[in-house]
Amino acid sequence: MTAPTSAPPGATRRQRLVAIALMCCAFACFSALDATAKWLTPRIGVIETSWVRFTSAFLLAALVLRPWSHREILRSVRPKVQIIRALLLLASTILNFLALQYLQLTETMTIMFTQPLVVALISGPLLGEWIGPRRLAAIGVGFLGVLLITRPGAGGIHWAAVYSFIGVGCYAGYSMLTRYLAGHDSSATTLFYSSAAGVLLLSPVMLFIWHAKPDGWTLLMMAATGFWASLGHWLLILAHRHVSAAVLSPFLYTQIIWMLALGYFIFGDLPDRWTLAGASIVICAGIYLLHRERVRKSVDYA
Protein backbone atom coordinates (compact mmCIF):
# COMPACT_ATOMS: atom_id res chain seq x y z
CA MET A 1 0.00 0.00 0.00
CA THR A 2 1.39 3.36 -0.93
CA ALA A 3 1.34 6.23 1.49
CA PRO A 4 -0.87 9.11 0.37
CA THR A 5 1.65 11.74 1.26
CA SER A 6 5.40 11.82 1.04
CA ALA A 7 7.62 12.11 4.05
CA PRO A 8 9.22 15.44 4.84
CA PRO A 9 12.74 15.72 3.45
CA GLY A 10 14.38 16.53 6.78
CA ALA A 11 12.66 14.52 9.48
CA THR A 12 13.78 15.25 13.04
CA ARG A 13 14.96 12.59 15.46
CA ARG A 14 11.63 12.78 17.30
CA GLN A 15 9.72 12.32 14.04
CA ARG A 16 11.82 9.29 13.17
CA LEU A 17 11.19 7.72 16.57
CA VAL A 18 7.45 8.38 16.34
CA ALA A 19 7.34 6.92 12.83
CA ILE A 20 9.26 3.82 13.88
CA ALA A 21 6.89 3.32 16.81
CA LEU A 22 3.89 3.67 14.50
CA MET A 23 5.46 1.20 12.07
CA CYS A 24 6.02 -1.37 14.81
CA CYS A 25 2.44 -0.93 16.04
CA ALA A 26 1.15 -1.34 12.48
CA PHE A 27 2.86 -4.69 12.14
CA ALA A 28 1.58 -5.70 15.55
CA CYS A 29 -1.90 -5.13 14.11
CA PHE A 30 -1.12 -7.21 11.02
CA SER A 31 0.18 -9.98 13.28
CA ALA A 32 -3.05 -9.81 15.27
CA LEU A 33 -4.96 -10.06 11.98
CA ASP A 34 -3.14 -13.29 11.09
CA ALA A 35 -3.69 -14.67 14.59
CA THR A 36 -7.40 -13.83 14.36
CA ALA A 37 -7.63 -15.50 10.95
CA LYS A 38 -5.88 -18.60 12.31
CA TRP A 39 -8.46 -18.73 15.11
CA LEU A 40 -11.41 -18.12 12.77
CA THR A 41 -10.70 -20.46 9.86
CA PRO A 42 -11.46 -23.73 11.71
CA ARG A 43 -14.75 -22.22 12.88
CA ILE A 44 -16.18 -20.53 9.78
CA GLY A 45 -13.88 -21.59 6.92
CA VAL A 46 -11.04 -20.11 4.90
CA ILE A 47 -13.10 -18.52 2.12
CA GLU A 48 -15.55 -17.14 4.65
CA THR A 49 -12.72 -15.60 6.70
CA SER A 50 -11.27 -14.07 3.54
CA TRP A 51 -14.66 -12.61 2.66
CA VAL A 52 -15.00 -11.09 6.13
CA ARG A 53 -11.53 -9.57 5.83
CA PHE A 54 -12.18 -7.96 2.43
CA THR A 55 -15.73 -6.87 3.21
CA SER A 56 -14.70 -5.07 6.38
CA ALA A 57 -11.81 -3.40 4.54
CA PHE A 58 -14.14 -2.38 1.71
CA LEU A 59 -16.69 -0.84 4.05
CA LEU A 60 -14.02 1.14 5.84
CA ALA A 61 -12.46 2.28 2.55
CA ALA A 62 -15.88 3.37 1.31
CA LEU A 63 -16.54 5.36 4.49
CA VAL A 64 -13.15 7.07 4.36
CA LEU A 65 -12.83 7.63 0.61
CA ARG A 66 -16.54 8.32 -0.12
CA PRO A 67 -16.46 7.27 -3.78
CA TRP A 68 -20.05 8.45 -4.22
CA SER A 69 -18.79 12.01 -3.69
CA HIS A 70 -15.40 11.57 -5.35
CA ARG A 71 -16.13 9.71 -8.56
CA GLU A 72 -12.56 10.13 -9.76
CA ILE A 73 -11.55 7.40 -7.31
CA LEU A 74 -13.44 4.89 -9.42
CA ARG A 75 -11.58 5.82 -12.60
CA SER A 76 -8.30 4.03 -13.23
CA VAL A 77 -5.80 4.71 -15.99
CA ARG A 78 -4.86 1.02 -15.90
CA PRO A 79 -8.06 -0.84 -14.89
CA LYS A 80 -6.85 -4.23 -16.15
CA VAL A 81 -3.67 -3.94 -14.11
CA GLN A 82 -5.72 -2.90 -11.08
CA ILE A 83 -7.89 -6.00 -11.46
CA ILE A 84 -4.89 -8.31 -11.82
CA ARG A 85 -3.27 -6.74 -8.77
CA ALA A 86 -6.46 -7.14 -6.73
CA LEU A 87 -6.75 -10.79 -7.79
CA LEU A 88 -3.17 -11.43 -6.71
CA LEU A 89 -3.90 -9.91 -3.30
CA LEU A 90 -7.03 -12.04 -2.97
CA ALA A 91 -5.12 -15.19 -3.92
CA SER A 92 -2.30 -14.35 -1.52
CA THR A 93 -4.77 -13.79 1.33
CA ILE A 94 -6.63 -17.06 0.76
CA LEU A 95 -3.39 -19.02 0.45
CA ASN A 96 -2.05 -17.46 3.64
CA PHE A 97 -5.22 -18.35 5.53
CA LEU A 98 -5.04 -21.90 4.16
CA ALA A 99 -1.48 -22.23 5.40
CA LEU A 100 -2.37 -20.81 8.81
CA GLN A 101 -4.68 -23.77 9.41
CA TYR A 102 -1.66 -26.05 9.63
CA LEU A 103 1.45 -23.95 10.25
CA GLN A 104 2.60 -21.86 13.15
CA LEU A 105 2.38 -18.09 12.82
CA THR A 106 6.16 -17.80 12.82
CA GLU A 107 6.49 -20.36 10.03
CA THR A 108 4.10 -18.61 7.67
CA MET A 109 5.59 -15.21 8.51
CA THR A 110 9.16 -16.35 7.89
CA ILE A 111 8.19 -17.68 4.48
CA MET A 112 6.40 -14.40 3.75
CA PHE A 113 9.61 -12.57 4.67
CA THR A 114 11.10 -13.95 1.46
CA GLN A 115 8.79 -11.68 -0.54
CA PRO A 116 11.34 -8.82 -0.76
CA LEU A 117 13.87 -11.37 -2.01
CA VAL A 118 11.48 -12.53 -4.73
CA VAL A 119 10.65 -8.94 -5.70
CA ALA A 120 14.35 -8.08 -5.97
CA LEU A 121 14.91 -11.17 -8.10
CA ILE A 122 12.12 -10.48 -10.60
CA SER A 123 12.51 -6.70 -10.73
CA GLY A 124 15.10 -7.04 -13.48
CA PRO A 125 13.06 -8.83 -16.14
CA LEU A 126 9.80 -7.06 -15.22
CA LEU A 127 10.87 -3.51 -14.33
CA GLY A 128 14.39 -3.33 -15.68
CA GLU A 129 15.79 -2.89 -12.15
CA TRP A 130 18.65 -5.37 -12.36
CA ILE A 131 20.48 -6.35 -9.20
CA GLY A 132 24.21 -6.71 -8.67
CA PRO A 133 26.18 -9.71 -7.40
CA ARG A 134 25.95 -8.63 -3.74
CA ARG A 135 22.18 -8.51 -3.70
CA LEU A 136 22.02 -11.70 -5.74
CA ALA A 137 24.17 -13.39 -3.11
CA ALA A 138 21.89 -12.04 -0.35
CA ILE A 139 18.89 -13.55 -2.14
CA GLY A 140 20.65 -16.90 -2.31
CA VAL A 141 21.47 -16.76 1.39
CA GLY A 142 17.87 -15.86 2.19
CA PHE A 143 16.55 -18.87 0.34
CA LEU A 144 19.05 -21.06 2.16
CA GLY A 145 17.39 -19.82 5.34
CA VAL A 146 14.04 -20.98 3.99
CA LEU A 147 15.52 -24.40 3.22
CA LEU A 148 16.73 -24.55 6.81
CA ILE A 149 13.17 -23.97 8.02
CA THR A 150 11.44 -26.36 5.63
CA ARG A 151 14.20 -29.02 5.53
CA PRO A 152 12.72 -30.80 2.50
CA GLY A 153 13.09 -34.54 2.71
CA ALA A 154 13.78 -34.42 6.44
CA GLY A 155 10.22 -33.94 7.66
CA GLY A 156 10.94 -30.37 8.64
CA ILE A 157 7.65 -28.61 8.01
CA HIS A 158 4.05 -29.39 7.09
CA TRP A 159 3.20 -29.78 3.42
CA ALA A 160 0.88 -26.77 3.75
CA ALA A 161 3.99 -24.60 3.47
CA VAL A 162 3.36 -24.94 -0.27
CA TYR A 163 0.39 -22.60 0.21
CA SER A 164 2.71 -20.02 1.76
CA PHE A 165 5.27 -20.31 -1.02
CA ILE A 166 2.64 -19.84 -3.73
CA GLY A 167 1.21 -16.99 -1.68
CA VAL A 168 4.64 -15.33 -1.62
CA GLY A 169 4.73 -15.47 -5.41
CA CYS A 170 1.27 -13.89 -5.60
CA TYR A 171 2.19 -11.20 -3.11
CA ALA A 172 5.43 -10.44 -4.93
CA GLY A 173 3.44 -9.90 -8.11
CA TYR A 174 1.00 -7.74 -6.15
CA SER A 175 3.89 -5.63 -4.84
CA MET A 176 5.38 -5.22 -8.30
CA LEU A 177 2.06 -4.04 -9.73
CA THR A 178 1.61 -1.69 -6.77
CA ARG A 179 4.89 -0.02 -7.69
CA TYR A 180 3.84 0.14 -11.33
CA LEU A 181 0.43 1.64 -10.56
CA ALA A 182 1.94 4.29 -8.28
CA GLY A 183 2.93 6.16 -11.42
CA HIS A 184 -0.54 5.95 -12.97
CA ASP A 185 -3.31 5.94 -10.34
CA SER A 186 -3.80 7.58 -6.96
CA SER A 187 -3.34 5.57 -3.78
CA ALA A 188 -7.07 6.03 -3.08
CA THR A 189 -8.01 4.39 -6.39
CA THR A 190 -5.61 1.52 -5.81
CA LEU A 191 -6.86 1.00 -2.25
CA PHE A 192 -10.48 0.96 -3.39
CA TYR A 193 -9.84 -1.57 -6.14
CA SER A 194 -7.93 -3.81 -3.72
CA SER A 195 -10.87 -4.32 -1.40
CA ALA A 196 -13.69 -4.07 -3.94
CA ALA A 197 -12.43 -6.96 -6.06
CA GLY A 198 -12.39 -9.34 -3.10
CA VAL A 199 -15.94 -8.39 -2.11
CA LEU A 200 -17.30 -8.68 -5.66
CA LEU A 201 -15.73 -12.07 -6.25
CA LEU A 202 -16.40 -13.68 -2.89
CA SER A 203 -19.86 -12.33 -2.05
CA PRO A 204 -21.71 -14.50 -4.63
CA VAL A 205 -19.81 -17.53 -3.37
CA MET A 206 -20.99 -16.85 0.17
CA LEU A 207 -24.59 -17.48 -0.94
CA PHE A 208 -23.69 -21.12 -1.54
CA ILE A 209 -21.03 -21.99 1.02
CA TRP A 210 -21.87 -19.99 4.16
CA HIS A 211 -23.23 -22.47 6.69
CA ALA A 212 -21.60 -21.22 9.87
CA LYS A 213 -23.70 -20.05 12.79
CA PRO A 214 -21.20 -17.91 14.66
CA ASP A 215 -21.66 -17.27 18.35
CA GLY A 216 -21.01 -13.92 19.98
CA TRP A 217 -17.29 -14.51 20.43
CA THR A 218 -16.86 -15.58 16.81
CA LEU A 219 -18.76 -12.50 15.62
CA LEU A 220 -16.40 -10.39 17.69
CA MET A 221 -13.39 -12.05 16.05
CA MET A 222 -14.93 -11.51 12.62
CA ALA A 223 -15.25 -7.81 13.38
CA ALA A 224 -11.69 -7.84 14.70
CA THR A 225 -10.31 -8.79 11.28
CA GLY A 226 -11.53 -5.50 9.89
CA PHE A 227 -10.38 -3.60 12.96
CA TRP A 228 -6.82 -4.95 12.89
CA ALA A 229 -6.46 -4.54 9.13
CA SER A 230 -7.84 -1.00 9.15
CA LEU A 231 -5.87 0.15 12.18
CA GLY A 232 -2.69 -1.38 10.78
CA HIS A 233 -3.01 0.40 7.44
CA TRP A 234 -3.89 3.68 9.16
CA LEU A 235 -0.79 3.47 11.37
CA LEU A 236 1.28 2.59 8.32
CA ILE A 237 0.06 5.72 6.53
CA LEU A 238 0.81 7.88 9.58
CA ALA A 239 4.31 6.43 9.82
CA HIS A 240 5.09 7.25 6.19
CA ARG A 241 3.96 10.83 6.70
CA HIS A 242 6.87 11.35 9.10
CA VAL A 243 9.82 9.67 7.38
CA SER A 244 10.68 7.86 4.17
CA ALA A 245 10.06 4.19 3.46
CA ALA A 246 13.82 3.59 3.39
CA VAL A 247 14.00 4.39 7.11
CA LEU A 248 10.95 2.31 8.01
CA SER A 249 11.37 -0.80 5.86
CA PRO A 250 13.78 -2.70 8.14
CA PHE A 251 11.22 -2.57 10.95
CA LEU A 252 9.00 -4.88 8.93
CA TYR A 253 10.94 -7.68 10.58
CA THR A 254 9.75 -6.74 14.07
CA GLN A 255 6.64 -8.67 13.06
CA ILE A 256 8.42 -11.90 13.96
CA ILE A 257 8.39 -10.79 17.62
CA TRP A 258 4.62 -10.31 17.60
CA MET A 259 4.11 -13.61 15.80
CA LEU A 260 6.21 -15.44 18.37
CA ALA A 261 4.26 -13.91 21.24
CA LEU A 262 0.80 -14.45 19.73
CA GLY A 263 1.62 -17.97 18.60
CA TYR A 264 2.78 -18.92 22.08
CA PHE A 265 0.12 -17.24 24.21
CA ILE A 266 -2.89 -18.01 21.99
CA PHE A 267 -2.04 -21.31 20.32
CA GLY A 268 0.73 -22.66 22.53
CA ASP A 269 3.12 -22.80 19.57
CA LEU A 270 6.84 -22.57 20.16
CA PRO A 271 9.09 -22.65 17.06
CA ASP A 272 11.98 -25.10 17.01
CA ARG A 273 15.61 -24.09 16.67
CA TRP A 274 15.58 -24.71 12.91
CA THR A 275 12.75 -22.23 12.40
CA LEU A 276 14.47 -19.60 14.55
CA ALA A 277 17.80 -20.09 12.79
CA GLY A 278 16.22 -19.95 9.35
CA ALA A 279 14.18 -16.89 10.27
CA SER A 280 17.34 -15.12 11.43
CA ILE A 281 19.04 -15.83 8.10
CA VAL A 282 16.04 -14.65 6.06
CA ILE A 283 15.74 -11.46 8.13
CA CYS A 284 19.45 -10.67 7.81
CA ALA A 285 19.30 -11.22 4.05
CA GLY A 286 16.26 -8.95 3.79
CA ILE A 287 17.85 -6.19 5.85
CA TYR A 288 21.01 -6.39 3.72
CA LEU A 289 18.91 -6.04 0.56
CA LEU A 290 17.24 -2.96 2.02
CA HIS A 291 20.66 -1.54 2.89
CA ARG A 292 21.96 -2.09 -0.64
CA GLU A 293 18.83 -0.47 -2.05
CA ARG A 294 19.43 2.62 0.09
CA VAL A 295 23.06 2.74 -1.05
CA ARG A 296 21.99 2.47 -4.69
CA LYS A 297 19.46 5.28 -4.34
CA SER A 298 21.94 7.54 -2.56
CA VAL A 299 24.37 7.04 -5.45
CA ASP A 300 21.62 7.76 -7.99
CA TYR A 301 20.65 10.99 -6.25
CA ALA A 302 24.25 12.14 -5.74
Side-chain angles (χ1 to χ4, degrees):
M1 179 178 171
T2 55
T5 56
S6 58
T12 65
R13 182 175 182 273
R14 176 179 172 80
Q15 286 176 318
R16 287 195 296 271
L17 291 175
V18 169
I20 289 169
L22 290 170
M23 188 77 165
C24 293
C25 290
F27 284 108
C29 291
F30 295 143
S31 300
L33 172 61
D34 274 3
T36 305
K38 183 176 176 65
W39 188 90
L40 273 176
T41 49
R43 292 165 174 81
I44 66 172
V46 171
I47 303 299
E48 292 88 339
T49 303
S50 301
W51 175 78
V52 168
R53 179 252 182 271
F54 279 98
T55 300
S56 57
F58 173 76
L59 292 175
L60 181 73
L63 287 173
V64 173
L65 300 175
R66 295 180 297 163
W68 53 86
S69 300
H70 304 279
R71 297 292 180 88
E72 67 276 5
I73 291 174
L74 303 177
R75 291 191 290 270
S76 170
V77 178
R78 296 287 187 273
K80 291 182 180 179
V81 179
Q82 286 283 9
I83 292 171
I84 294 172
R85 174 185 172 276
L87 291 175
L88 287 171
L89 177 61
L90 176 61
S92 174
T93 300
I94 293 174
L95 288 164
N96 183 45
F97 288 175
L98 282 168
L100 282 170
Q101 291 184 108
Y102 307 100
L103 304 180
Q104 295 182 10
L105 290 171
T106 50
E107 291 172 332
T108 58
M109 182 48 53
T110 301
I111 295 172
M112 285 301 294
F113 280 164
T114 63
Q115 182 263 333
L117 310 182
V118 176
V119 169
L121 193 62
I122 65 178
S123 289
L126 294 183
L127 295 179
E129 299 175 359
W130 298 98
I131 60 175
R134 293 180 181 178
R135 285 192 286 172
L136 192 60
I139 291 171
V141 170
F143 285 119
L144 285 176
V146 174
L147 288 176
L148 193 62
I149 297 168
T150 56
R151 303 192 303 285
I157 198 171
H158 197 280
W159 60 266
V162 173
Y163 291 137
S164 287
F165 283 115
I166 300 174
V168 166
C170 292
Y171 198 78
Y174 162 83
S175 298
M176 298 290 291
L177 293 182
T178 300
R179 291 167 61 180
Y180 171 79
L181 286 167
H184 299 279
D185 289 336
S186 68
S187 57
T189 298
T190 300
L191 176 62
F192 187 80
Y193 269 82
S194 298
S195 53
V199 175
L200 290 174
L201 287 172
L202 294 181
S203 292
V205 179
M206 291 302 102
L207 297 175
F208 300 97
I209 70 170
W210 185 278
H211 300 295
K213 296 180 180 179
D215 55 21
W217 185 248
T218 303
L219 287 171
L220 180 63
M221 292 298 102
M222 290 167 62
T225 61
F227 172 78
W228 293 125
S230 303
L231 181 59
H233 282 292
W234 181 62
L235 292 172
L236 207 60
I237 290 170
L238 290 180
H240 282 84
R241 285 179 178 172
H242 288 282
V243 297
S244 67
V247 174
L248 296 174
S249 294
F251 293 92
L252 154 72
Y253 297 104
T254 60
Q255 195 166 2
I256 195 71
I257 300 172
W258 302 113
M259 288 297 203
L260 279 168
L262 291 169
Y264 177 73
F265 288 110
I266 298 177
F267 304 104
D269 293 335
L270 198 61
D272 59 25
R273 64 182 185 276
W274 297 105
T275 300
L276 293 175
S280 300
I281 293 172
V282 171
I283 290 171
C284 288
I287 291 175
Y288 181 77
L289 275 177
L290 292 170
H291 165 69
R292 293 304 306 171
E293 182 67 14
R294 292 175 67 180
V295 170
R296 183 185 67 82
K297 287 184 176 180
S298 65
V299 171
D300 290 342
Y301 292 141

